Amino acid sequence: MAEAGGPESAAARCPDESSDSEPEQEPGTPQKLIRKVSTSGQIRSKTVLKEGNLMKQTNSFQRWKRRYFKLRGRTLYYAQTAKSIIFDEVDLTDASVAESSTKNFNNSFTVITPCRRLILCADNRKEMEEWMAALRSVQNRQNYESTQYSMDHFSGMHNWYACSHARPTYCNVCREALSGVTSHGLSCEVCKFKAHKRCAVRATNNCKWTTLASIGKDIIEDEDGVSMPHQWLEGNLPVSAKCNVCDKTCGSVLRLQDWRCLWCKAMVHSGCKEQLSSKCPLGQCKVSVIPPTALNSIDSDGFWKASCPPSCTSPLLVFVNSKSGDNQGVKFLRRFKQLLNPAQVFDLMNGGPHLGLRLFQKFDTFRILVCGGDGSVGW
């Protein structure tokens, strides 16, 4: 059971920080689809198994459009051209692949996932068979991404998804308003950094901190040792935001202004910022949060080691099966990463429990929260 002040009770008491944005849906797709995307720079840093042009059937009148596809690990990326800035993601963890050509007429095949179905067409039979073989080989690599995932988890890269907003929202890169009446754009599912699709590639890798190294020069050193500062994100504050210093309304729907801490959730005017203590108190989830300062060394095999600080009296390790609950586990992953250190939250469908248990192996006591069905808990 959760302790008073833990992240589970905090999630119940606090307004959902994701309520200001909704996933941007493709026409005809189920409402549960969260359209995740990556920038071309993020994909370039990964090993691509296969890439090339394919025809993709659209949902409108079953027309075909040419798209450029890249297969990396258990993710299929696609965009209009190889030089596109933003690529859509398709998770292949539970995917199946089947030929859908009628009498070998159009060299088409279908990729079926729990969330969506893609009908693709190659230029010739040989290319179709190569793509199908590559997609099927992904399912046979049980530990394919374990090491890579462990590094991605601490990279500082934003985790983009396409969304729309109920009120005016501003890009944290160029500071201009997101386009459209409902402010279409990209949002990071962890730190809620906002960006135009054209600006995402220029966003710095400054997502929510996970390790001491990610804090960098902002770290606070004094007679008490090493402390964590606030991690501020500018603008796009909730309508009801009040300054923690002067208790007056802050934020704006007319421009990007004022600040919010990603850890303690404090909100403050730009002019009041200097009056707030530089040390972050970590907020109401403090007893469960492993601060980034506690992840400061790496094992000889490349895995991070965590030490339990005095402030973290009951550290929480969270495992979420993203496929459980009709694939609603993605929302739980996002919410817990917002409440805790993202390094404490693991998707059971991406590497299993091994990485999380390894991270916590030096802790004398800690709690484990498993979000999933009977199968996940039994496992």
Side-chain angles (χ1 to χ4, degrees):
M1 296 296 290
E3 299 170 358
E8 300 92 329
S9 56
R13 292 195 303 269
C14 297
D16 186 352
E17 290 186 12
S18 299
S19 61
D20 66 342
S21 59
E22 293 297 332
E24 182 180 304
Q25 305 297 326
E26 292 183 353
T29 56
Q31 190 66 23
K32 64 189 176 186
L33 171 64
I34 293 179
R35 187 183 160 209
K36 294 196 66 174
V37 296
S38 287
T39 65
S40 54
Q42 289 172 329
I43 299 175
R44 271 198 301 270
S45 65
K46 303 174 181 180
T47 303
V48 176
L49 300 178
K50 185 169 177 58
E51 60 182 307
N53 286 300
L54 292 170
M55 298 297 289
K56 175 180 173 291
Q57 190 178 84
T58 66
N59 293 305
S60 55
F61 306 107
Q62 295 188 340
R63 291 180 297 180
W64 294 86
K65 290 188 176 180
R66 198 165 188 82
R67 294 290 182 260
Y68 194 82
F69 287 80
K70 294 186 178 186
L71 175 62
R72 183 266 174 187
R74 290 195 172 99
T75 306
L76 181 65
Y77 303 89
Y78 68 90
Q80 288 190 359
T81 69
K83 296 183 179 179
S84 294
I85 295 175
I86 298 297
F87 280 72
D88 279 83
E89 295 183 19
V90 180
D91 182 8
L92 301 176
T93 303
D94 285 337
S96 58
V97 183
E99 183 178 347
S100 53
S101 301
T102 304
K103 296 180 180 179
N104 302 330
F105 177 67
N106 62 353
N107 306 310
S108 65
F109 58 99
T110 305
V111 181
I112 303 171
T113 76
C115 294
R116 62 190 304 185
R117 182 180 66 170
L118 289 177
I119 301 178
L120 307 174
C121 178
D123 290 337
N124 54 65
R125 175 98 187 153
K126 181 176 180 292
E127 187 178 355
M128 180 194 77
E129 291 176 347
E130 288 177 352
W131 270 106
M132 290 178 65
L135 291 166
R136 285 169 176 159
S137 71
V138 169
Q139 304 302 314
N140 300 323
R141 305 184 184 196
Q142 295 298 322
N143 300 311
Y144 184 86
E145 291 184 302
S146 293
T147 304
Q148 182 65 45
Y149 174 73
S150 71
M151 302 316 294
D152 288 352
H153 209 55
F154 305 102
S155 66
M157 288 185 176
H158 294 290
N159 298 278
W160 301 114
Y161 70 102
C163 61
S164 56
H165 304 79
R167 61 194 184 88
T169 303
Y170 295 84
C171 175
N172 285 99
V173 179
C174 70
R175 307 182 68 86
E176 298 295 325
L178 297 183
S179 59
V181 177
T182 55
S183 298
H184 295 296
L186 302 181
S187 177
C188 175
E189 63 182 9
V190 178
C191 69
K192 302 190 73 63
F193 189 101
K194 309 294 184 182
H196 293 102
K197 293 179 181 179
R198 65 177 182 272
C199 294
V201 72
R202 294 189 286 116
T204 54
N205 293 336
N206 60 349
C207 193
K208 195 173 182 181
W209 298 325
T210 51
T211 66
L212 181 66
S214 64
I215 301 176
K217 60 182 177 57
D218 295 325
I219 194 69
I220 299 173
E221 294 185 72
D222 53 25
E223 62 275 7
D224 298 325
V226 175
S227 302
M228 198 181 86
H230 293 280
Q231 185 178 4
W232 297 111
L233 180 66
E234 187 178 12
N236 299 314
L237 303 186
V239 176
S240 58
K242 286 192 175 182
C243 177
N244 279 52
V245 175
C246 67
D247 202 37
K248 293 181 180 178
T249 301
C250 62
S252 173
V253 295
L254 301 177
R255 58 188 176 276
L256 196 73
Q257 74 173 43
D258 299 333
W259 304 84
R260 172 174 59 89
C261 176
L262 299 179
W263 295 87
C264 67
K265 312 306 179 188
M267 288 172 278
V268 64
H269 293 113
S270 297
C272 298
K273 198 175 170 187
E274 295 300 321
Q275 301 176 48
L276 198 67
S277 171
S278 59
K279 293 183 181 180
C280 180
L282 296 177
Q284 56 188 337
C285 300
K286 180 178 181 178
V287 296
S288 300
V289 174
I290 299 177
T293 51
L295 274 72
N296 52 26
S297 60
I298 301 178
D299 273 335
S300 58
D301 54 0
F303 287 86
W304 283 95
K305 296 187 294 185
S307 56
C308 191
S311 64
C312 186
T313 57
S314 185
L316 183 66
L317 171 60
V318 180
F319 290 123
V320 180
N321 185 341
S322 58
K323 302 300 181 184
S324 290
D326 199 20
N327 294 286
Q328 294 303 301
V330 173
K331 294 182 178 179
F332 282 82
L333 279 169
R334 182 190 304 169
R335 187 65 177 135
F336 277 112
K337 286 179 180 179
Q338 292 170 0
L339 290 168
L340 305 169
N341 185 333
Q344 296 174 241
V345 186
F346 294 85
D347 185 355
L348 286 171
M349 299 304 295
N350 196 345
H354 169 71
L355 292 174
L357 294 171
R358 185 184 180 91
L359 184 68
F360 276 63
Q361 65 182 341
K362 301 294 185 183
F363 286 35
D364 293 329
T365 58
F366 61 93
R367 294 174 296 150
I368 297 178
L369 175 65
V370 180
C371 302
D374 295 342
S376 302
V377 177
W379 180 30

